[in-house]
Every structure is written in structure tokens, then in C-alpha cells.
Amino acid sequence: MKQVLSILVRNQPGVLMRVAGLFSRRGFNIDSLAVGITEKPAFSRMTVGLYGNEATVEQVKKQLEKLVEVEEVRLLPSDAMVARGMALVKVEAGEKRMEALKLAEIFRASVLDVGAQTLVFEITGGDDKIKAFIDLMAPFGILEVVQTGVVALERGESAMQAVESKYDWPERCNEGKDVCQVI
Amino acid sequence: MKQVLSILVRNQPGVLMRVAGLFSRRGFNIDSLAVGITEKPAFSRMTVGLYGNEATVEQVKKQLEKLVEVEEVRLLPSDAMVARGMALVKVEAGEKRMEALKLAEIFRASVLDVGAQTLVFEITGGDDKIKAFIDLMAPFGILEVVQTGVVALERGESAMQAVESKYDWPERCNEGKDVCQVI
């Protein structure tokens, strides 16, 4: 069964490597990964999509919690979460351009770029919807697909929040500087 | 300046750790990371958003190309790419719910969940748009934010594609199996 782990981490050097290393060394297998800052730039949130039974995933969770940079880990309840991903799909539509555009409309995909021979669509939704859209576009000729991986939040009022004042944070980077937010 | 590296990798055990390790050991700093499969499930595409001058990023690119699992790396041209991200934002709107919904409409944010006291919005767009939306929602009280990180494709017909038949690929996972796609 596909599970979603949400990991709140402090932006410190090497945290991504330590989290990735934990999955890799212990043979846990990731299906997708999304890492981005939260509303507090000192923290990032990693969303990991993985297959595994509940006992296995519970074990990963416990090991993640031992890492010093990890503030909190939650295994999101599959019946009480909203989970979405995004894909950009470059299609070689050529003369069938109008047909591709019409089909994309049904999926509420946005058009990001129109070239002489190509179209780039943005599609958001659950895994199934994104897969269905890619399958639908396949006959036109797919040039490239890039996906974000799933991101998810629990429904209702429950929230993962970190307290900023507990630590001394490094400054987040400014444009032009080489060293900045470090994950 | 924010740069976007697109890395096409083979789904093999530990590839994420090796890529992450390269950034971390050499002191390169990642702003965001998105990892998802491509239209060929044997390959994943990692999109890395990072700050750095062109020389530094060119150096990372060369080092990434040395990894055996890496098929291709491209530094996407900032003036000829489409780049998008997605955020889910949980807002504590309470009595001001209608106001929050109205503002979200202007940003074309979708509503994914409505609770007694909370709203969950999905917003897609460039970094600036997402940041502006989060700032706009801040006065209502933000409970959680999760972001995908940027994903991007080059405009036009240019494409990063890998040839599947060159290798023997492990089977992709099925539901219920513990070991599956390994990144």
C-alpha cells in the first residue's frame, strides 16, 4: 500500500543526506520525494511516498525520529489526508495539437508553453489522475515528463509545527550568495 | 541567482543518497528538491533548485555526470524554461472563512478541505506567486505549509530522454510488496 510520511526538519547541512541515507542503508524504498521550505524558512518539510506495510513504515518513522535535525515525523492517515502532486508533460502534438488541447481541457490541465511542434501541460491531482493524463497523452508522443512527487496534509486542525525560537538559525540565503539555506 | 538543475537518473538503490551526498559533501546548498518517476518507470527525474553563480553550478553538474546512475544533467536556461511548484496551505480561518476563500479565488487556488475551523488550499505557480499567497494568508493564521519544490522543463522541442533497452531493469513495485522501485 502506498504510504505518505511527512517529515519536518531543520535546515541544517547534510540533513537531506542523512534522511536519504537512512532509507537507503536499511533498504527502504522511496517512490517519490518532495522537499520544500515551510512558512518558517528555517524548516523544511519532506514528503516521502513509499510502498510498504504498516509495520515497516512504523519502523522507518522511529528511525527518522532519532535524527537530531528531525523535528517531527508523521505517517499521514490515508483516510484523512489530502494528497496532491504535479507533473509537467511535454507532448509532441504537431498537427493533432487541437485534439491534445481539447483532451487536456477535460483534465483541467494548464498549457504552459506552445511551440511549433510541442505543447507543455501542467497537471495537478492524485497519482491516478496524473498517470491517467500521461497515458492519455502517450499516443501524441511524449517528449518529457517531470513530476513533483506527492505532497500531503492531514485533514482538520491537526498540524505539524516547529518552534523557531528554540534554536539559533543560520540566515537564509540572499540572491548572489553561494552559501545559504542548507539541506 | 536561483538555478534549476534537472537530473535524469536510473532507479537504482542508493541513487538519491549518492546525489544528496555529492551536494552535501562539497558544500553545495539545495533550496528545493523534487523527485518523481518519468514516463518510463525505470527512470526518475530529480529537479534541484539551488542558489549559486554559474561557475559553481557548472561544477556541480560535472560532478553529477560522473555518477553511474546519472543519465543526463541539464542546467535549465532561466530565460527558456517553464518552472512551477505547488504548495498546500492549511489556514485557520474561523469566522473570516469567506474572506480567505475570496482572496484564494483571485490566486486561482483550489480548496481541498474545509473543516470547522480550517481550510486547505492548493496553489500552483512560480516561487513568487506561492510566496505571495502564503504571505496573503498569514494574517488568517497559517497552521501548516508543505511545498513540492520547483519542477521545470525547457521550452521548445529539446528533451532529456533515456533509452530503456540499454539496461536490465528491476521490476517496479506492486502494491503490497515491500521492495519495489528503489531510489
Side-chain angles (χ1 to χ4, degrees):
Chain A
M1 212 179 99
K2 185 148 179 186
Q3 315 256 6
V4 180
L5 274 177
S6 202
I7 312 165
L8 190 67
V9 299
R10 282 183 265 154
N11 289 328
Q12 291 194 330
V15 55
L16 173 64
M17 202 190 77
R18 274 189 285 280
V19 170
L22 188 149
F23 282 98
S24 137
R25 269 195 316 277
R26 308 194 185 219
F28 297 121
N29 305 296
I30 298 177
D31 186 64
S32 73
L33 172 69
V35 186
I37 55 165
T38 65
E39 74 279 15
K40 293 169 188 155
F43 297 92
S44 284
R45 196 162 162 150
M46 303 187 177
T47 310
V48 181
L50 74 172
Y51 289 87
N53 58 46
E54 215 150 307
T56 320
V57 177
E58 200 56 48
Q59 197 185 339
V60 192
K61 183 171 170 287
K62 287 213 179 88
Q63 286 164 347
L64 284 167
E65 281 164 349
K66 286 184 196 157
L67 298 176
V68 288
E69 302 91 343
V70 170
E71 289 282 310
E72 196 176 342
V73 188
R74 284 203 192 170
L75 174 58
L76 296 183
S78 55
D79 54 349
M81 67 172 176
V82 285
R84 288 287 185 285
M86 184 168 79
L88 307 184
V89 183
K90 189 184 282 180
V91 178
E92 201 177 12
E95 285 166 17
K96 291 189 171 174
R97 196 193 283 179
M98 283 305 136
E99 198 184 331
L101 285 169
K102 202 72 206 163
L103 287 172
E105 227 171 71
I106 300 168
F107 274 72
R108 295 191 202 164
S110 321
V111 183
L112 298 188
D113 186 52
V114 185
Q117 295 296 323
T118 56
L119 291 163
V120 177
F121 294 108
E122 171 195 310
I123 173 105
T124 66
D127 277 359
D128 294 348
K129 183 180 168 194
I130 291 176
K131 194 181 174 305
F133 182 73
I134 294 172
D135 290 348
L136 187 76
M137 287 297 144
F140 296 102
I142 287 177
L143 286 172
E144 294 184 281
V145 171
V146 62
Q147 292 199 47
T148 57
V150 69
V151 287
L153 290 182
E154 217 171 315
R155 288 182 192 273
E157 283 161 51
S158 150
M160 269 166 70
Q161 277 184 320
V163 183
E164 215 155 353
S165 56
K166 276 201 319 205
Y167 312 94
D168 275 336
W169 296 113
E171 283 288 305
R172 188 142 186 270
C173 51
N174 295 316
E175 209 161 295
K177 274 168 71 184
D178 267 10
V179 178
C180 49
Q181 182 196 351
V182 187
I183 57 174
Chain B
M1 212 179 98
K2 185 149 180 186
Q3 317 256 3
V4 179
L5 273 177
S6 201
I7 312 167
L8 190 67
V9 299
R10 283 183 265 156
N11 289 327
Q12 292 194 330
V15 53
L16 172 64
M17 201 189 79
R18 275 190 284 280
V19 170
L22 189 149
F23 282 97
S24 137
R25 271 196 313 278
R26 307 194 187 221
F28 297 121
N29 303 297
I30 298 178
D31 186 63
S32 75
L33 172 69
V35 185
I37 55 165
T38 66
E39 74 281 15
K40 295 170 186 154
F43 297 93
S44 285
R45 196 162 161 147
M46 302 185 178
T47 311
V48 181
L50 73 175
Y51 288 86
N53 59 44
E54 215 150 308
T56 319
V57 178
E58 199 57 47
Q59 196 186 342
V60 193
K61 183 172 172 286
K62 287 212 178 88
Q63 285 163 348
L64 284 167
E65 281 164 351
K66 284 184 197 156
L67 298 177
V68 289
E69 302 91 345
V70 171
E71 290 283 310
E72 197 177 342
V73 187
R74 282 202 194 171
L75 174 59
L76 296 183
S78 54
D79 54 349
M81 67 171 177
V82 283
R84 288 287 186 286
M86 184 168 78
L88 307 185
V89 184
K90 189 184 284 180
V91 178
E92 201 177 15
E95 285 166 17
K96 291 191 172 171
R97 198 193 279 181
M98 283 304 136
E99 197 183 331
L101 285 169
K102 203 70 207 162
L103 287 172
E105 226 172 72
I106 300 168
F107 273 73
R108 296 191 201 165
S110 320
V111 182
L112 299 188
D113 186 52
V114 185
Q117 296 296 324
T118 57
L119 292 163
V120 177
F121 294 108
E122 171 196 311
I123 173 106
T124 66
D127 278 358
D128 292 348
K129 184 181 167 194
I130 291 177
K131 195 180 172 305
F133 181 73
I134 295 172
D135 289 348
L136 188 74
M137 287 296 143
F140 296 102
I142 287 178
L143 286 171
E144 293 185 283
V145 171
V146 61
Q147 292 199 47
T148 59
V150 70
V151 288
L153 290 180
E154 216 172 315
R155 289 182 191 272
E157 283 160 52
S158 152
M160 269 167 70
Q161 276 183 320
V163 184
E164 214 153 353
S165 56
K166 274 200 320 202
Y167 312 94
D168 276 333
W169 296 113
E171 284 287 305
R172 189 144 186 267
C173 52
N174 295 316
E175 208 161 297
K177 275 170 68 184
D178 266 11
V179 177
C180 49
Q181 182 197 352
V182 189
I183 56 177

